[in-house]
Amino acid sequence: RAKEKGKNSYQFFTTEINAAAAEHLALENRLRKAIAQGEFQLYYQPIMDMESGAIVSVEALIRWVNPELGLINPDKFIPLAEETGLIIPIGEWVLQTACAQAKIWNQENTYPLRIAINLSARQFQQIDFLERILEILKKTDLLPNRLELELTESMIMDNMEASLETLNALKKMGCQISLDDFGTGYSSLAYLKRFPIDTVKIDHSFVRDISTDPDDAAITTAVTTMAHSLRRKVVAEGVETREQLEFLDNIGVNGVQGYFISYPAPAENFTRLLQERHYINHDLLRL
Ligand code: C2E
Ligand code: MG
Ligand code: MG
Ligand code: MG
């Protein structure tokens, strides 16, 4: 009887695993088709310079719009894309599309605007990654100093020697390098010293409770002070309230990004925003 029960639960278990595997495979197939059928879209979110109030950079954030599944956020498919290698063609599409868009915005505007693009580990570790970047810059006719690449600590950690070489080459070309989600990974300050990183982006999990949690306030302040002593800029992610903005202004962060400034939105919305006001909002800075 026990044996029977055991067998049943085993069967139940395998059925569950099979269902999960089938779902996984179905999603993978959909993702494969999504590339061919052009189901990806880029949203853009501005990063505001704290001193001038100007939009200095725009981050491209991918969305997947599937006819059956609807709008899918990157956290739901980027890990799968990474695992299956589909991130390579997807990442290529992102770079190409975002750089082309940045070229248009820079032609329409009188002041320089950078495009910030999230890289994935596999993409960054491609042997011909530098050539890929160079080719895209050439094809889209975008100046290298308008391109900002966002990496995470773990991506650099995976292979420090190769990463250092790639980053040095990107810097030499004139690209900007940002360390994304700072504070969530290994966060060894040694990287800041060793690697040519221009900007540290403090993860929104620290920014969220900055005005109520003294520990988060202390961490954010310490990271900012430390980054500044190492001559790096600091951008705070996930700024949603005036209180957060005020706090960040007081500790002297260089840039802010978040719903309080602007939600991520399709290119047309951002074009309109740029036409309406070069400076995103002077009122935001009247703290
Ligand atoms: P990330 O690079 O840290 O991007 C910031 C995330 O925070 C975005 O989520 C953005 O929509 C969200 N966000 C912006 N302002 C606020 C705010 O005020 N409050 C809160 N709670 N969230 C805010 P999203 O667009 O869902 O992207 C999630 C992650 O997916 C990104 O995190 C990035 O790591 C990854 N990702 C997005 N686009 C791409 C891409 O083209 N390629 C790769 N490899 N990864 C991407
Ligand atoms: Mg990012
Ligand atoms: Mg990121
Ligand atoms: Mg982030």
Side-chain angles (χ1 to χ4, degrees), residues 59 118 150 180-182 201-204 237:
E59 181 171 3
N118 291 284
E150 297 198 0
D180 207 354
D181 310 330
F182 193 79
K201 295 187 81 172
I202 300 180
D203 191 67
H204 57 77
E237 299 187 305

Side-chain angles (χ1 to χ4, degrees), residues 69-85:
L69 304 173
L71 183 95
I72 309 153
N73 280 332
D75 290 334
K76 293 262 158 34
F77 68 89
I78 291 289
L80 180 66
E82 177 88 8
E83 198 184 304
T84 53

Side-chain angles (χ1 to χ4, degrees), residues 107-124:
Q107 276 172 326
E108 288 170 353
N109 277 278
T110 48
Y111 69 96
L113 186 70
R114 277 197 308 270
I115 183 82
I117 299 176
N118 291 284
L119 295 178
S120 81
R122 242 166 127 149
Q123 197 181 7
F124 180 63

